[in-house]
Amino acid sequence: MKILVTGFDPFGGEPINPAIESVKKLPDNIAGAQIIKLEIPTVKGKSIKKIEKAIEEHNPDVILSIGQAGGRFDISVERVGINLDDFRIPDNEGNQTIDEPIFPDGENAYFVDLPVKAMVKNIQKNKIPASVSYTAGTFICNHVLYGTLYLINKKYKNKKSGFIHIPFLPEQVINKKNTPSMELNTIVKGLTAAIEAIVKNDKDIKETGGTIC
């Protein structure tokens, strides 16, 4: 099995992005799967195009994207991508799209076809906080989550993809009072556990992972 793991470059005025920093530190082989690492730009359109180019080049079985979610307390495994760009801030090339579909011919939403609950459970087994998330926002993280699911639905039907959000690093929150963070090595350990679950589970486990509100 080959798994393409992507991480974004820094954005929003941050000098570092834990997404690409954690991806860089992943082992080259996890549970027998070859890990292909890719940095992608926090830019509308270009991020998806770079992923598609890597799909054509490497022919991975799974595409797993990692993104920073400042303010979240745990590692969040996303379950759904929505067909909406509504950027609160500009991307790294100044695009600030408001209330537009990512792909006009796409479905309103696509669900992730990865064992998201098994991924969360395996992260938790490693004593790391994790949960299933039902919103990836409406910025470039969701743009990539939905965009990759769209590509799979339209062109690469034998592949699977998903998205994981991770917290800030400690050095990012020194001047952000009451903002959670997670050590880089802990994030890497959690992502490794999530990938192990992808390799070992063809289907997801049947356990509660939903939310009340």
Side-chain angles (χ1 to χ4, degrees), residues 10 13 19 22 24 31 38 40 66 77 100 122 132 153 177-178 182-183 211:
S22 58
K24 288 176 184 176
L38 178 70
I40 59 175
I66 314 301
V77 183
E100 291 185 10
N122 206 41
V132 178
N153 181 267
K177 289 185 177 181
N178 303 315
M182 188 176 286
E183 290 282 355
T211 60

Side-chain angles (χ1 to χ4, degrees), residues 19-40:
I20 187 56
E21 297 305 318
S22 58
V23 169
K24 288 176 184 176
K25 294 194 71 172
L26 286 172
D28 294 328
N29 188 291
I30 298 175
Q34 178 187 352
I35 306 302
I36 303 158
K37 306 167 190 179
L38 178 70
E39 181 172 343
I40 59 175

Side-chain angles (χ1 to χ4, degrees), residues 6-197:
T6 79
F8 290 100
D9 59 3
F11 70 95
E14 294 290 334
I16 193 171
N17 191 326
I20 187 56
E21 297 305 318
S22 58
V23 169
K24 288 176 184 176
K25 294 194 71 172
L26 286 172
D28 294 328
N29 188 291
I30 298 175
Q34 178 187 352
I35 306 302
I36 303 158
K37 306 167 190 179
L38 178 70
E39 181 172 343
I40 59 175
T42 308
V43 178
K44 173 184 176 179
K46 287 186 177 180
S47 49
I48 299 172
K49 288 178 181 178
K50 190 164 184 179
I51 289 173
E52 183 168 21
K53 183 178 179 182
I55 292 172
E56 293 288 349
E57 180 180 351
H58 299 288
N59 191 29
D61 302 284
V62 175
I63 303 95
L64 180 65
S65 296
I66 314 301
Q68 168 190 290
R72 294 200 189 186
F73 287 83
D74 63 2
I75 295 177
S76 306
V77 183
E78 300 296 341
R79 198 169 190 187
V80 60
I82 61 172
N83 193 9
L84 178 68
D85 279 341
D86 190 10
F87 297 174
R88 182 177 61 83
I89 60 173
D91 68 13
N92 282 353
E93 290 191 355
N95 303 300
Q96 191 168 11
T97 306
I98 298 173
D99 293 342
E100 291 185 10
I102 299 167
F103 287 102
D105 65 333
E107 299 293 334
N108 288 335
Y110 292 115
F111 281 96
V112 171
D113 190 18
L114 289 176
V116 294
K117 292 182 179 180
M119 292 161 71
V120 168
K121 186 172 184 179
N122 206 41
I123 297 169
Q124 293 172 340
K125 280 183 178 179
N126 283 267
K127 311 300 182 185
I128 300 169
S131 63
V132 178
S133 171
Y134 292 85
T135 175
T138 57
F139 191 48
I140 303 298
C141 287
N142 176 75
H143 184 83
V144 161
L145 169 57
Y146 180 90
T148 308
L149 290 168
Y150 171 91
L151 290 176
I152 287 172
N153 181 267
K154 298 293 185 181
K155 297 177 66 175
Y156 308 105
K157 295 184 180 292
N158 62 328
K159 302 185 186 303
K160 298 180 179 181
S161 72
F163 197 101
I164 297 177
H165 266 122
I166 57 177
F168 280 137
L169 297 173
E171 57 263 42
Q172 293 178 276
V173 302
I174 292 171
N175 295 313
K176 298 182 180 73
K177 289 185 177 181
N178 303 315
T179 302
S181 66
M182 188 176 286
E183 290 282 355
L184 181 58
N185 288 339
T186 302
I187 294 173
V188 174
K189 185 178 179 182
L191 296 180
T192 301
I195 293 170
E196 287 173 353

